[in-house]
Amino acid sequence: MIPRIKSVKPHENYILYVIFDDGKECLYNVKEDIDSIEQYKDLETIQGLFEQAQLDESRTCVFWNEYIDLASDTIYEYGKEVE
């Protein structure tokens, strides 16, 4: 089952604070993706783009534009859980 995101909030230094429907809260470091995925570099070079993070209608993907998105299962698996 694909985890659904309840809310997403961009923080400083390319960190996303994500709350899932099951109550899990985590911090996901997008900087690692920026450094390794060419399309993600726009999050660093276009001022204010990172702060425009949105959820898709299914709530299984965070996206910024038509080229940059991040699946909820990736965030769920690799995000640092907040206790």
Side-chain angles (χ1 to χ4, degrees):
M1 185 171 174
I2 298 174
R4 294 192 187 276
I5 298 172
K6 187 176 190 176
S7 69
V8 60
K9 185 174 185 179
H11 283 237
E12 292 181 355
N13 300 316
Y14 305 102
I15 301 292
L16 290 178
Y17 174 68
V18 181
I19 301 174
F20 291 91
D21 280 357
D22 67 2
K24 180 176 179 176
E25 299 179 32
C26 66
L27 298 172
Y28 184 86
N29 186 351
V30 182
K31 181 68 171 133
E32 295 171 9
D33 296 320
I34 292 169
D35 292 341
S36 62
I37 302 170
E38 187 65 33
Q39 293 90 338
Y40 278 60
K41 294 196 186 310
D42 284 350
L43 294 173
E44 206 171 40
T45 59
I46 299 174
Q47 186 172 357
L49 182 59
F50 180 74
E51 290 75 18
Q52 295 177 23
Q54 302 175 54
L55 283 176
D56 70 345
E57 287 184 24
S58 68
R59 296 185 299 119
T60 59
C61 181
V62 175
F63 73 97
W64 289 269
N65 60 29
E66 59 191 61
Y67 306 107
I68 307 171
D69 59 22
L70 186 59
S72 63
D73 54 349
T74 299
I75 299 169
Y76 198 90
E77 184 174 346
Y78 297 106
K80 183 177 180 180
E81 191 163 359
V82 176
E83 303 199 18

